[in-house]
Amino acid sequence: MNGKMKKEDLLKDPDFKKLVAQKDSISWMLTVMELVLYFGFIGLIAFSKPFLGMKISGAITVGIPIAVGTIVLSWVLTGVYIWWANSRYDDMVQKIKDKVGG
Amino acid sequence: MPQTSIGQVHATSIIFFLIFVLVTLAITYWAAKRTRSTKEFYAAGRSITGFQNGLALAGDYMSAASFLGIAGLVSTRGYDGLIYSVGWLVGWPIIMFLIAEPLRNLGKYTFADVVAFRLQQRPIRAAAAAGSLTTVLFYLIAQMVGAGTLIKLMFGLPYELALAIVGSLMIAYVIFGGMLATTWVQIIKAVMLLGGATILVLMTLGKFDFSFAELFSQAEALYTVKFMQPGGLVSDPIDAFSLGLALMFGTAGLPHILMRFYTVPDAKQARKSVFVATGFIGYFYILTVTIGFGAAVLVGQKIIMGIDAGGNMAAPLLAETLGGTAFLGFLAAVAFATILAVVAGLTLAGASALSHDLYVGVLRRGVSAEREEVKVAKIATVCLGVAAILLGILFKGQNVAFMVGLAFAVAASANFPALLMSIMWKNFTTKGAVASICTGMVLAVLLIVLSPTVWVDIIHKDEVQAVKTAVVGLDSMAKQSQLRIDDLQKQLTVATGMNNRNAAIETAISIEKSSLADIEAKKAEANTAMPAAIVKYKNPGLFSMFAAFFVGILVSLLWPEKEAAAKYADLKLREYAGIGAE
C-alpha cells in the first residue's frame, strides 16, 4: 500500500470492518451472558424459592453457591473480555492505527 | 442494654482517624501543585494507572452504607441480604462490555462529552448535566444523612458537627487537590476498608475452624433453616426485575463512576481498571456477607437490633466482640474515611457537571480559558459542599434510604440510555437524546414519588398514622360493645320466664347491636381514608428505563438529523480504534 490511508477510506477497510464486527459480537455476547446469569438468579428467587432453599450439605442451601457463583462468574466474564482484548483486539487496533499513521 | 462501647469516643478511633486525615491532607498538598489545568483538575492529568483506578473505582462504589448496610441486612435477614449484594455487583460487567472503552475513547471529562460528540452541544449538555446533578444530589443527600447518623452512633459526635467535619474535609480535598487527591483518598480508603474487612473475616472464621460449613450450621441452629433461604425481601416478580435493572444499568450511569475512566491514559487501562474494580468489589461483598453471618452467630440478633433496629451496627459490634475496643476504633475510623471519600468523589462529579457542562458548554458555548474553567469548578465545589451540608441538616432524621434507589433509577433511566444510544446508534439525534434524558429522569422521580415507599410511607405518613390510631380506637370500642352484647345475652338465658325483663334486654341488645354496626361502619369508612399508593411498584427502573429508550428511538426516527449521522464515521473510528482520542 502506498502511503497512509485516509480516515474516510478506513471505514470501508476490511480490517476495520473485521475489528468492529468482532468487538461488537464479543461485547454483546458477554452482555447477554451476564443478563442471563443475573436475571436467571432473580427469576429463581421470584419463581422458585423452594429450589434455592434445598439443602446440599449441612446447613448450606442451593441458593448460597448460586449467589456466590453469580458474583464470581460476573468477575470471570470481565476476565474473559480482558483476555480477548489483550490477545486480539489490541493487535487489530494497532494494525488500523498503522494504516492511518497515528 | 448490652455491654458495648459503641457511641463513645475512643482514643484508638480518634488516633486512626487523625492519621487518615493527616495523610490525606498531605496528599492533597502534594496534589495541589499538580492541579492547575482542567485536565489535571477533572482527570488527574490522565496519570492514574489501570490498577490504581480499579482500586479507586472500588473505593467510590464501596460506601459505608453498603458495608454496614449489607452486613446488617445479612445478620438480621440471612440469605435475603446475600441477594441484595449480588445486585450491587452485576452492573460492572456491563460497564466493561459496553461503556468503559468507548467512553474513554470518545470523551474528555464527563459522560456528556460522549453524548454531545456528534450532536448539538448546548441542549445535550444542559440535559446531561441535569441528569448528572439529579443523580449526584440524591446520592449525596443519602450519604450525608447516613454519615451524620453513623458518626453520631459510632463516635457520639453531634449530627451537625459530624456533617460540618465531613463537608469541610471533602471541600478541601476537591478544591485543592482535584481529581488527583480525590483518587488517592479513594485508594487509601479502599485499601483500609478491604484490609479491615479481611482481618474481621479471618478473625470470624477463626472461631469456626476456618470452615464456612461450620459457620452456616451454627447460624442455622440459632435462627432455623429459614435464615439460609430466600424470604420476603423479593415478593413481587415485576418489582424484583425492576430493581435488578436499576441496579445493573444504574451502575453504568453513575456520573462519579463514569468520570473515573478519564483519569487513565487510554482505553486499555480503562478496561483493566474495570476488571480490577469488579474483582475487589466482588471480594468485598463476599467478605461483607460473611461478616453478617458471623455477627448473627457471635453477637446475636437481639444485641444487634437492640443498638440499631436496621442492623447497621452488626459489623462494628462483631469487631468489638472479636478484637476489643482497639479494633472497633479502627473500623469506626475506616467507616468515617469511607464516607469522606465517597462524598468527595460525588462532589467532584457534580462540580464537573456544573462547570464543564453547564458553565462552559451551555453558558459560554464551549469557549472558556483553562484557568477560568478551573476557577468555576472550584466555586461549584464549594457551593455543592455547602449545599450537601445544608441538605444533610434539612433531611435529618428523615428516611432517606429510598434516595439511593432513586439515584440508581435516575442513572439507569436518564443517563444510561442516552449514553448507550449515542455510542451505538447512527441515527440517534439531539432531539431524541434530550427527550430520552428528560423522559427517564421525570418518570423515575415521578414513579418513586407515587410509589408506596414515598407516597404512603413518607408524604402521607401523618394520615397513615391518623387512620391507624382511629382504627385502633374504633376496634377497642367495637370489642367493648361486643362484650356488652355477650353480657346481655348471658342475662337473657338466666332470666328465662320473665317476659317483661327479657323484652327489655332484647331491646338493649338490639340497641347495642346497632351501635356496634355503627362502629364497624365507621371503621370501614376510616379505612377508606387510608392513603393508597398511586403506583403499586416500589421500583420504577423497568418502566422509566424502557420509556427512555422508546422515546429516544421514536423521536430520533421522527425528526432525523443528517449532521449527526454524518459524524458517525468519525465517532466509529475513535470509538473502536481510539483514533483521535484525548
Side-chain angles (χ1 to χ4, degrees):
Chain A
M1 203 176 290
N2 301 324
K4 301 294 181 194
M5 281 177 84
K6 281 184 184 168
K7 273 190 180 181
E8 297 76 54
D9 302 330
L10 207 54
L11 281 178
K12 296 179 196 104
D13 184 77
D15 281 336
F16 184 69
K17 279 185 170 167
K18 196 178 114 194
L19 169 113
V20 170
Q22 287 205 7
K23 157 85 173 127
D24 281 353
S25 61
I26 287 278
S27 289
W28 285 107
M29 201 173 73
L30 289 168
T31 301
V32 169
M33 283 168 79
E34 181 64 28
L35 287 173
V36 169
L37 183 68
Y38 178 53
F39 287 100
F41 176 59
I42 296 282
L44 282 179
I45 297 163
F47 299 110
S48 177
K49 282 199 177 100
F51 170 69
L52 290 177
M54 268 174 8
K55 283 189 177 181
I56 305 174
S57 83
I60 298 172
T61 50
V62 177
I64 290 171
I66 286 187
V68 175
T70 307
I71 292 179
V72 174
L73 263 178
S74 296
W75 184 59
V76 170
L77 286 183
T78 64
V80 170
Y81 181 80
I82 287 277
W83 171 81
W84 172 81
N86 284 345
S87 61
R88 305 276 163 79
Y89 188 49
D90 287 350
D91 290 344
M92 289 193 280
V93 167
Q94 199 47 54
K95 220 169 151 187
I96 301 293
K97 278 190 170 168
D98 288 343
K99 286 189 183 180
V100 276
Chain B
M1 200 66 180
Q3 283 295 313
T4 172
S5 52
I6 282 180
Q8 293 162 19
V9 182
H10 296 291
T12 43
S13 58
I14 292 192
I15 290 167
F16 279 122
F17 183 68
L18 283 181
I19 293 172
F20 175 79
V21 170
L22 285 177
V23 169
T24 50
L25 285 178
I27 286 172
T28 309
Y29 177 77
W30 163 82
K33 293 175 190 159
R34 291 158 183 79
T35 304
R36 301 224 162 84
S37 67
T38 49
K39 193 164 117 184
E40 286 163 343
F41 184 80
Y42 295 125
R46 317 222 194 276
S47 64
I48 309 294
T49 68
F51 185 81
Q52 289 166 350
N53 192 45
L55 263 178
L57 281 167
D60 254 321
Y61 204 64
M62 302 181 295
S63 61
S66 68
F67 176 53
L68 301 174
I70 289 180
L73 204 59
V74 172
S75 73
T76 55
R77 308 186 66 162
Y79 189 79
D80 278 358
L82 181 56
I83 297 174
Y84 228 66
S85 69
V86 174
W88 292 106
L89 184 86
V90 292
W92 287 90
I94 303 296
I95 295 184
M96 170 75 109
F97 307 145
L98 300 179
I99 303 290
E101 289 164 301
L103 188 81
R104 178 63 195 86
N105 276 337
L106 294 169
K108 210 169 159 190
Y109 306 131
T110 62
F111 85 89
D113 291 338
V114 178
V115 186
F117 186 82
R118 63 200 166 95
L119 305 177
Q120 290 163 39
Q121 294 287 327
R122 295 180 78 204
I124 293 294
R125 291 205 180 263
S132 293
L133 284 170
T134 313
T135 316
V136 165
L137 275 178
F138 281 128
Y139 213 117
L140 204 52
I141 292 173
Q143 291 290 334
M144 288 303 266
V145 174
T149 316
L150 182 73
I151 292 166
K152 196 177 153 200
L153 206 58
M154 291 188 103
F155 293 85
L157 279 182
Y159 182 91
E160 286 79 4
L161 181 64
L163 287 195
I165 294 175
V166 169
S168 336
L169 279 170
M170 103 192 164
I171 292 173
Y173 293 151
V174 178
I175 59 170
F176 297 116
M179 184 52 110
L180 190 58
T182 309
T183 302
W184 280 101
V185 168
Q186 213 62 270
I187 291 173
I188 292 172
K189 161 248 161 135
V191 171
M192 278 169 75
L193 187 56
L194 287 164
T198 304
I199 295 169
L200 188 53
V201 163
L202 288 178
M203 285 163 94
T204 306
L205 288 177
K207 297 272 172 191
F208 300 94
D209 300 325
F210 291 94
S211 151
F212 275 96
E214 181 60 25
L215 168 63
F216 289 143
S217 74
Q218 289 200 27
E220 188 199 17
L222 278 170
Y223 304 106
T224 78
V225 68
K226 281 197 176 137
F227 201 63
M228 317 303 291
Q229 293 171 335
L233 195 67
V234 182
S235 46
D236 185 308
I238 292 190
D239 244 346
F241 279 101
S242 200
L243 174 68
L245 278 177
L247 287 179
M248 196 172 210
F249 296 106
T251 305
L254 291 176
H256 64 296
I257 298 291
L258 297 177
M259 193 180 181
R260 288 230 151 269
F261 292 108
Y262 299 117
T263 65
V264 294
D266 54 30
K268 190 180 162 89
Q269 296 300 317
R271 71 175 181 242
K272 185 179 171 188
S273 60
V274 188
F275 177 67
V276 173
T278 314
F280 278 124
I281 295 167
Y283 171 65
F284 171 74
Y285 283 142
I286 291 171
L287 291 179
T288 313
V289 168
T290 314
I291 291 169
F293 278 113
V297 175
L298 296 172
V299 182
Q301 285 184 353
K302 224 181 214 169
I303 294 178
I304 294 169
M305 289 160 92
I307 302 232
D308 175 78
N312 284 317
M313 288 297 113
L317 280 167
L318 182 64
E320 193 184 24
T321 308
L322 293 172
T325 43
F327 194 49
L328 171 67
F330 171 71
L331 217 66
V334 171
F336 206 156
T338 294
I339 293 166
L340 208 45
V342 171
V343 292
L346 281 167
T347 306
L348 183 54
S352 63
L354 282 170
S355 57
H356 184 63
D357 296 330
L358 276 184
Y359 179 78
V360 178
V362 178
L363 279 178
R364 305 297 307 266
R365 294 169 185 267
V367 188
S368 170
E370 287 260 324
R371 283 186 56 165
E372 190 193 349
E373 185 172 345
V374 173
K375 203 173 136 194
V376 172
K378 288 183 177 181
I379 294 170
T381 305
V382 176
C383 294
L384 266 176
V386 173
I389 297 173
L390 293 178
L391 284 168
I393 292 171
L394 182 72
F395 283 95
K396 180 184 178 180
Q398 303 270 336
N399 177 5
V400 290
F402 76 94
M403 285 194 185
V404 175
L406 185 50
F408 272 80
V410 173
S413 315
N415 308 344
F416 176 75
L419 182 59
L420 189 73
M421 287 190 281
S422 69
I423 297 172
M424 305 276 166
W425 190 35
K426 187 180 173 184
N427 296 325
F428 198 44
T429 66
T430 304
K431 285 193 181 92
V434 172
S436 168
I437 292 172
C438 294
T439 306
M441 189 164 60
V442 171
L443 211 56
V445 175
L446 196 70
L447 285 175
I448 285 209
V449 169
L450 300 179
S451 77
T453 328
V454 176
W455 191 256
V456 178
D457 296 351
I458 294 174
I459 297 180
H460 292 92
K461 195 171 142 200
D462 297 340
E463 283 97 319
V464 170
Q465 203 46 53
V467 170
K468 275 185 183 160
T469 321
V471 168
V472 167
L474 287 167
D475 254 346
S476 79
M477 275 167 76
K479 235 180 226 161
Q480 279 167 15
S481 170
Q482 189 60 51
L483 282 177
R484 279 197 294 272
I485 293 173
D486 292 349
D487 202 41
L488 285 167
Q489 254 153 1
K490 265 183 220 153
Q491 290 178 33
L492 205 60
T493 42
V494 171
T496 335
M498 299 164 77
N499 281 340
N500 282 350
R501 207 188 139 188
N502 267 359
I505 293 172
E506 296 270 14
T507 325
I509 287 176
S510 72
I511 291 171
E512 196 60 52
K513 272 190 176 163
S514 78
S515 93
L516 178 61
D518 235 33
I519 294 168
E520 292 292 348
K522 270 187 195 150
K523 209 172 99 184
E525 199 193 313
N527 265 324
T528 58
M530 183 68 131
I534 296 171
V535 174
K536 188 181 130 198
Y537 301 110
K538 287 181 178 162
N539 300 291
L542 182 66
F543 312 101
S544 52
M545 195 176 113
F546 278 107
F549 272 114
F550 179 76
V551 169
I553 292 169
L554 190 73
V555 172
S556 298
L557 290 177
L558 285 176
W559 292 279
E561 190 175 330
K562 274 191 191 136
E563 302 79 26
K567 281 187 211 152
Y568 189 66
D570 239 12
L571 174 130
K572 222 171 163 182
L573 282 177
R574 196 159 149 175
E575 177 191 342
Y576 287 93
I579 294 166
E582 285 185 60

